[in-house]
Amino acid sequence: MTPILAMLRTLAPCTALILLLAVSPAHGQALDTLFDAPCERYGVPKQLALAIATKESAMRPWALNIQGRTVQTSSREQALEVSRAAMAAGLSFDIGVMQVNSQWLRRYRLPLESVLDQPGNIQVGVWILGQAIKQHGLTWRAVAAYHTPGVDTERGRAYAEDVIRILRGEPRARAVTASPNVSAASAASPMLVKRYRVVAEDTERVARPDGKRN
C-alpha cells in the first residue's frame, strides 16, 4: 500500500469538513459536490482532489495565475477578459478552481469559457490528476506531476508535501518568495501582457543558452 493511499484510508472523518471550511460559504457545498462524478469516473480519491484544489486556488472559482503571478479577479467576466488576453498573447496561465494550465486548452482545443466555469474546470483538473495517478500510482510523484512536469525536482517534492499537509489538516509551508498579485485591470492591459512575454523569453534564454526551443 502506498503512503498516500494508507493516509487517505486512515484520515479522520473531519478532514473533509476541514477542507470545506476553506471554501467561501457562497460556493462551498456546490463546489464540493462537483467533484463527485469526475473523481468516480477517473478513479481519483475525492479528498486528494479537494486538497489539490485547496492548494491551487483556495477553492476560488475565478482564480488566475499568469506566468507565475497571481491575478486578482472578482467575477467570471473579469477572469474571462484576462484569460483571453493571455491566450491571445501566447502566455502560459492557470485558471479556475483546479488551476488548469493553458497547455491543456491549446493541446485539446478546449473552450476557454467551459474550462473556466467550475464544472468543466473540475472535470478537466480531475482528469489530469487521474492521468498522473495512472502513470505514477497513488504516490507523491503523481501529486507532484499534477503541478510540476519534472516530478523528481525539488519543486515537485515541495508541492506534494504541501498537498499532504492539507490532507492531514496541518499548516502549509510558506513560500520563500511570493509572486506579487496583479489586478485584473492591469493584467489585461497590453503593456503588462508585453512584460509577461519578455519575462517568459528571458527565462527561456537562461534555461536554453544555445537559443534552441523545446
Side-chain angles (χ1 to χ4, degrees), residues 60 62-65 69-75 78-79 82 180-187:
R60 290 175 294 127
W62 316 128
L64 292 179
N65 186 290
R69 294 192 178 190
T70 300
V71 178
Q72 297 177 341
T73 61
S74 58
S75 67
Q78 280 188 336
V82 176
N181 291 342
V182 180
S183 69
S186 61

Coordinates of all heavy atoms in Angstrom, one line a residue, residues 60 62-65 69-75 78-79 82 180-187:
R60 N -11.1 29.0 -5.0 CA -11.7 30.2 -5.6 C -12.0 30.0 -7.1 O -11.1 29.7 -7.8 CB -10.8 31.4 -5.4 CG -10.7 31.9 -4.0 CD -9.7 33.0 -3.8 NE -8.3 32.5 -4.1 CZ -7.5 33.1 -4.9 NH1 -7.9 34.1 -5.6 NH2 -6.3 32.6 -5.1
W62 N -12.7 31.8 -9.7 CA -12.2 32.7 -10.7 C -10.7 33.0 -10.5 O -10.2 34.0 -11.0 CB -12.9 34.0 -10.8 CG -14.4 33.9 -10.7 CD1 -15.3 34.5 -9.8 CD2 -15.3 33.0 -11.5 NE1 -16.6 34.1 -10.0 CE2 -16.6 33.2 -11.0 CE3 -15.0 32.1 -12.5 CZ2 -17.6 32.4 -11.6 CZ3 -16.1 31.4 -13.0 CH2 -17.4 31.6 -12.6
A63 N -10.0 32.1 -9.8 CA -8.6 32.3 -9.6 C -7.8 32.2 -10.9 O -8.1 31.4 -11.8 CB -8.0 31.2 -8.6
L64 N -6.8 33.1 -11.1 CA -5.9 33.1 -12.2 C -4.5 33.2 -11.8 O -4.2 33.9 -10.8 CB -6.3 34.3 -13.2 CG -7.6 34.3 -13.9 CD1 -7.7 35.5 -14.7 CD2 -7.8 33.0 -14.8
N65 N -3.6 32.7 -12.7 CA -2.2 32.9 -12.5 C -1.6 33.0 -13.9 O -1.8 32.1 -14.7 CB -1.6 31.7 -11.7 CG -0.1 32.0 -11.4 OD1 0.7 31.9 -12.3 ND2 0.2 32.2 -10.1
R69 N 2.4 34.7 -11.8 CA 1.8 35.8 -11.0 C 0.3 35.6 -10.8 O -0.4 35.4 -11.7 CB 2.1 37.2 -11.7 CG 3.6 37.5 -11.8 CD 3.7 39.0 -12.2 NE 5.1 39.4 -12.2 CZ 5.5 40.6 -12.4 NH1 4.6 41.6 -12.5 NH2 6.8 40.9 -12.4
T70 N -0.1 35.8 -9.5 CA -1.5 35.7 -9.2 C -2.2 36.9 -9.7 O -1.7 38.0 -9.4 CB -1.7 35.5 -7.7 OG1 -1.0 34.3 -7.2 CG2 -3.2 35.4 -7.3
V71 N -3.3 36.7 -10.4 CA -4.1 37.9 -10.8 C -5.4 37.9 -10.1 O -6.1 36.9 -10.0 CB -4.4 37.8 -12.3 CG1 -5.3 38.9 -12.8 CG2 -3.1 37.7 -13.1
Q72 N -5.8 39.0 -9.4 CA -7.0 39.1 -8.6 C -8.2 39.4 -9.5 O -8.2 40.5 -10.1 CB -6.8 40.1 -7.5 CG -5.7 39.8 -6.6 CD -5.4 40.9 -5.5 OE1 -5.8 42.0 -5.7 NE2 -4.8 40.6 -4.4
T73 N -9.1 38.6 -9.5 CA -10.4 38.8 -10.3 C -11.6 38.6 -9.3 O -11.5 37.7 -8.5 CB -10.5 37.9 -11.5 OG1 -10.6 36.6 -11.1 CG2 -9.4 38.1 -12.5
S74 N -12.6 39.3 -9.6 CA -13.8 39.2 -8.7 C -15.0 38.6 -9.4 O -16.1 38.5 -8.7 CB -14.1 40.6 -8.1 OG -14.4 41.5 -9.1
S75 N -14.9 38.3 -10.7 CA -16.1 37.8 -11.4 C -15.6 37.0 -12.6 O -14.5 37.0 -13.0 CB -16.9 39.0 -11.9 OG -16.2 39.7 -12.9
Q78 N -14.4 39.2 -15.5 CA -13.0 39.7 -15.4 C -12.1 38.6 -15.7 O -11.1 38.8 -16.4 CB -12.8 40.2 -14.0 CG -13.3 41.6 -13.7 CD -12.8 42.1 -12.4 OE1 -12.5 41.4 -11.5 NE2 -12.8 43.5 -12.2
A79 N -12.3 37.4 -15.1 CA -11.4 36.3 -15.3 C -11.4 35.9 -16.8 O -10.3 35.6 -17.4 CB -11.9 35.1 -14.5
V82 N -9.2 38.6 -18.8 CA -7.8 38.4 -18.6 C -7.3 37.2 -19.3 O -6.2 37.1 -19.9 CB -7.4 38.4 -17.1 CG1 -6.0 38.1 -16.8 CG2 -7.8 39.7 -16.4
P180 N 4.1 38.6 -6.7 CA 3.2 39.7 -6.5 C 1.9 39.5 -7.1 O 1.8 39.0 -8.2 CB 4.0 40.9 -7.0 CG 4.9 40.3 -8.1 CD 5.3 38.9 -7.6
N181 N 0.8 40.0 -6.5 CA -0.5 39.9 -7.1 C -0.6 41.1 -8.1 O 0.0 42.1 -8.0 CB -1.6 40.1 -6.0 CG -1.7 38.9 -5.1 OD1 -1.2 37.8 -5.4 ND2 -2.2 39.1 -3.9
V182 N -1.5 40.8 -9.1 CA -1.7 41.8 -10.1 C -3.2 42.0 -10.3 O -4.0 41.0 -10.2 CB -1.1 41.3 -11.5 CG1 -1.4 42.4 -12.6 CG2 0.4 41.1 -11.3
S183 N -3.7 43.2 -10.4 CA -5.1 43.5 -10.5 C -5.6 43.0 -11.9 O -4.8 42.9 -12.9 CB -5.4 45.0 -10.4 OG -4.9 45.7 -11.5
A184 N -6.9 42.7 -12.0 CA -7.4 42.2 -13.2 C -7.3 43.3 -14.3 O -7.0 43.0 -15.5 CB -8.9 41.8 -13.0
A185 N -7.5 44.5 -14.0 CA -7.5 45.6 -15.0 C -6.1 45.7 -15.6 O -5.9 45.8 -16.8 CB -7.9 46.9 -14.3
S186 N -5.0 45.7 -14.8 CA -3.7 45.8 -15.3 C -3.2 44.5 -16.0 O -2.4 44.6 -16.9 CB -2.7 46.2 -14.2 OG -2.7 45.1 -13.2
A187 N -3.7 43.4 -15.6 CA -3.3 42.1 -16.2 C -3.8 42.0 -17.6 O -3.1 41.4 -18.5 CB -3.8 41.0 -15.4

